[in-house]
Amino acid sequence: MADYDIVIRGGTVGSSAGTFEADVGITGDTVVALGRNLGAGKRNIDAKGKLVLPGGVDAHAHIEQLSGMGVMGADNFESATGAAALGGTTTVVCFAAQHKGKSLTKVVEDYHVLAKRGAIIDYAMHMILADPNARVLKEELPALVKSGHSSIKLFMTYEHTKVDDEQLLDTLVAARENRALVCVHAENNGMISWMGRRLVERGYRDPRFHGPHHPRLCETEAIYRLAAFSELIDQPVIVYHVSTAEGAKVIREARGRGVKMFAETCTQYLTLTVDDLVKPGLEGAKWVCSPPLRLQSDQEALWHALEIGDLQFVSSDHAPYRFDATGKLRAGPEPSFKEIANGMPGLELRLPLLFDAMVSKGRYGIEQFVEWTATAPARMYGLSPRKGQITIGSDADICIWDPKRRTTISDAGVHDNTGYTPYAGRTIEGWPVTVLRRGEIIADDGKVKASAGSGAFLPRDPGEAAKPTGRLSPEFDETRNFGAKLY
Ligand code: URP
Ligand code: ZN
Ligand code: ZN
């Protein structure tokens, strides 16, 4: 009689605290034993010479969603999460995106239908609020947070989704009252549209002008403003996709004065630079994302900010648009940089690219890789201890890595619906060869093994991160004490 359903034998298990030699025993969908020479499994997987790491948690991915520029992404749940599985990611937090005038409840319900039908990995949802009016915040938000949608996403820019300062403040108050976390795309909208207009008026239209279109200062200013709002209301916030050294510095200063501000950066800001935008013709459109790609020196500053804890994790910001009239070129065959859909694919390659940059290149240990790509995002978003770690009682979401496998990335070798990858031509070392999600092999040797719809929704209590500090600013407190109407 077998003791376990599956035993992964003889591998090196990694966690954010260290590595150790152990077999992993799985029964049903759960890790039930860790130790040497475990008893028999109905199925035994040989992991000698391999790394046994937690499945990745990607906390920022746009799937089957209308963007802030009004463009539909190239992926549906099946294509996005199948690609994610092949790259070792077993949990994703995607977006139920409200557009102006829409009921948030209906948006979330509709999005559940799409995810339930297609998801291959497990998923949670952030709610994008583009129209945070009193009805949405008072009548819809509380029940949605209670039903496990415990994070809100706001945009400070983008035509269809941006909120102004007062809406941002209203939402922070509502989040505080409901114990939800607020994630923010922090860029100054006025600076972007003003720069865009000036550039185009002067005849600068190429994709490369997307860089100056979003000046570095628009990130610095918006993060600073967000930190001030967060401090006023004492509401924790997560800054999305930090791209500059100055942005990281503002976060450091805010954290230093006690503001509960957290932050992610993304694979592209650590592995690509603005030079990638400079390509003949429109080719550079594939590298147009917001914030834009920055400098080598920013990469160094972002790695450093991760090391010292000012940034806590790395997401993909998967935002896939095909290089055709459905996506990047939806404004016609000769768009200006302003009209090119913003975003790039990243769910599949986030882990392999980061493993190569961090572990194979000898820059960081397995511990940091696991922490920044799985354990920390799970913890921040209320998914721990179920996700993001291999411990007894956690979901058996496990990647078996061949740390020496070399792969040359190509457009034909990736599996989402984008049709290209911004990383084509790069050779990387280390690949997740077998991937389990809740004890089921969902990807093996380049093939998806699970069916669409086998991923499960993960309702979340707000994690520790969402707890206010208790130091409400006296000015804000006054408005509450006098019973002022906040929205
Ligand atoms: O360019 C990007 N990042 N597009 C996706 C939407 C966003 O800004 O997060
Ligand atoms: Zn964003
Ligand atoms: Zn995004």
Side-chain angles (χ1 to χ4, degrees), residues 60 62 153 155 158 185 241 289-290 317 319 342-343:
H60 182 167
H62 303 270
K153 155 91 183 275
F155 285 92
Y158 283 130
H185 177 129
H241 44 50
C289 61
S290 288
D317 192 3
N342 284 200

Side-chain angles (χ1 to χ4, degrees), residues 60 62 65 67-68 95 153 155 158 185 187 210 240-241 268-269 288-291 317-319 321 341-344:
H60 182 167
H62 303 270
Q65 180 222 305
S67 80
F95 298 94
K153 155 91 183 275
F155 285 92
Y158 283 130
H185 177 129
E187 289 190 292
H210 181 64
Y240 266 173
H241 44 50
Q268 54 272 33
Y269 303 112
V288 167
C289 61
S290 288
D317 192 3
H318 181 76
Y321 300 104
N342 284 200
M344 54 175 66

Side-chain angles (χ1 to χ4, degrees), residues 56 82-89 347-352 399 401 415 431-432 435 443:
L86 290 166
T89 288
L347 255 170
E348 182 171 1
L349 293 177
R350 179 184 69 121
L351 292 178
C399 278
W401 285 77
H415 300 86
W431 196 265
V435 181

Side-chain angles (χ1 to χ4, degrees), residues 79 82-87 345 347-349 352 405 407-426 428 431-432 445-448:
S79 59
L86 290 166
L347 255 170
E348 182 171 1
L349 293 177
R405 180 139 152 191
T407 307
T408 299
I409 298 169
S410 66
D411 289 348
V414 287
H415 300 86
D416 58 41
N417 270 345
T418 321
Y420 63 84
T421 163
Y423 303 96
R426 207 176 268 225
I428 55 172
W431 196 265
D445 210 13
K447 302 242 166 358
V448 176

